[in-house]
Amino acid sequence: MVKFRKIVALMSTFIMVVGMASCGGKVTISVDNTNNSETPKAKKKYIIATNTLFAPFEFQNKFGDYVGIDIDLLNEIAKDQGFEYELVHMSFNQMLQALAAGEVDAAMGGISITDERKEIYDYSEPYLEGGIVMAVDATRHDIKDFDDLKGKTVAVAVALGTEAESYAQSIKDKYGFEVVTFPEFNEVYQDVLNGNSQALFEDYPVMGYLISQGVELKIVSDIEKKSPYGFAVPKGKNGELLEMFNKGLEDIKENGIYDKIINTYVQS
């Protein structure tokens, strides 16, 4: 019960945004154009979807501001390239569905670049590399690797084909464990902390951030199935936005802003 109360307190910033996620809350970001003559000129305000239940990529802090790797990178890239955008806050499923339907101009919400998704979306250059790790309750000592999962239950967030779910399904028969799925990741780690599931699979940046915030879990595997994250647009559309994103990403890597943002949220 103590762990449960602690996790609820720590993750209150995530739960606060559920109401907005269900209806698509919006925040408009306006930035001035730079004096760089080589900067592509934006012709409109872009509608960009993000997943606000996925720290450290996106979440709402105690002041009610949206922050995280994706939010901070997007803001700096927009400043560098001089375009305006409006954020639409959704669940992961809603975000990908809206993008596929062309209801938004782009999405940036911890979206792994996969061959399957490339058939539906066009991606920017990768802005971060992640991968899947296994984590357990910090007090457990009986699960040290995949061989220890035989006869146990592993929890994952299912969403729309998450990499964690895909990886768990691909090795469950080999190691003899069952997979239980949840719509959102906050339900996944709560299930493990409550003792219903014995382990979980999730992206390394997410696990590293939660543990650094005091969530009583520990990583017990190497990083598996490494995959990059990308900024996505509907297939064949908004090429000018991808061009600006890639150029802005290159610029903030060169001037040090990129490293500052990443180091804020992910400890090496």
Side-chain angles (χ1 to χ4, degrees):
M1 181 61 72
V2 173
K3 287 182 181 178
F4 182 76
R5 289 198 298 267
K6 183 174 182 181
I7 199 67
V8 169
L10 284 167
M11 302 309 297
S12 60
T13 53
F14 304 151
I15 297 172
M16 286 170 59
V17 303
V18 171
M20 289 194 76
S22 64
C23 62
K26 297 181 179 180
V27 175
T28 300
I29 308 295
S30 300
V31 296
D32 294 330
N33 208 336
T34 65
N35 294 321
N36 186 349
S37 60
E38 297 180 357
T39 299
K41 303 299 183 183
K43 297 181 180 179
K44 64 177 182 179
K45 179 190 296 180
Y46 296 96
I47 307 301
I48 301 177
T50 188
N51 173 22
T52 50
L53 294 176
F54 200 44
F57 294 96
E58 304 86 22
F59 60 99
Q60 198 171 19
N61 65 19
K62 64 181 180 181
F63 303 108
D65 300 321
Y66 290 98
V67 296
I69 293 172
D70 288 358
I71 301 296
D72 295 1
L73 287 178
L74 182 58
N75 186 50
E76 292 298 333
I77 289 170
K79 287 180 180 178
D80 183 84
Q81 293 294 290
F83 64 83
E84 293 185 356
Y85 65 93
E86 185 174 279
L87 288 179
V88 183
H89 307 293
M90 301 178 172
S91 70
F92 193 79
N93 279 357
Q94 290 172 333
M95 176 180 66
L96 293 186
Q97 289 169 348
L99 185 63
E103 296 172 355
V104 295
D105 295 311
M108 190 174 182
I111 306 172
S112 298
I113 301 173
T114 68
D115 290 337
E116 293 79 9
R117 288 175 181 163
K118 284 181 179 179
E119 297 180 2
I120 306 172
Y121 317 119
D122 288 331
Y123 282 98
S124 67
E125 293 297 317
Y127 63 86
L128 185 68
E129 184 175 73
I132 305 303
V133 292
M134 178 172 68
V136 300
D137 188 302
T139 63
R140 292 192 78 118
H141 301 288
D142 60 323
I143 300 178
K144 299 179 180 179
D145 54 38
F146 297 150
D147 290 325
D148 296 326
L149 293 176
K150 186 174 182 179
K152 295 181 172 60
T153 301
V154 172
V156 293
V158 60
L160 281 178
T162 62
E163 288 294 282
E165 185 214 0
S166 175
Y167 185 68
Q169 297 288 359
S170 73
I171 66 171
K172 67 177 184 179
D173 292 336
K174 177 179 179 179
Y175 292 103
F177 61 83
E178 297 294 326
V179 176
V180 59
T181 61
F182 296 89
E184 297 291 346
F185 182 58
N186 61 317
E187 298 172 274
V188 171
Y189 62 75
Q190 287 176 5
D191 198 63
V192 172
L193 290 172
N194 290 338
N196 298 320
S197 298
Q198 288 73 56
L200 65 85
F201 288 166
E202 187 49 72
D203 291 354
Y204 169 70
V206 177
M207 286 310 311
Y209 176 77
L210 289 178
I211 292 171
S212 74
Q213 296 300 298
V215 178
E216 295 181 10
L217 295 168
K218 62 182 178 182
I219 295 172
V220 292
S221 74
D222 294 330
I223 300 176
E224 305 289 343
K225 200 177 181 181
K226 293 182 178 180
S227 61
Y229 299 103
F231 177 81
V233 299
K235 193 73 175 178
K237 297 181 179 180
N238 299 326
E240 77 288 346
L241 181 56
L242 279 186
E243 180 184 355
M244 287 189 288
F245 185 93
N246 287 333
K247 179 61 169 61
L249 179 63
E250 180 181 349
D251 287 349
I252 66 172
K253 283 184 174 181
E254 290 179 355
N255 64 24
I257 292 176
Y258 175 87
D259 286 339
K260 183 178 179 179
I261 291 172
I262 299 303
N263 292 336
T264 298
Y265 298 102
V266 180
Q267 299 299 315
S268 59

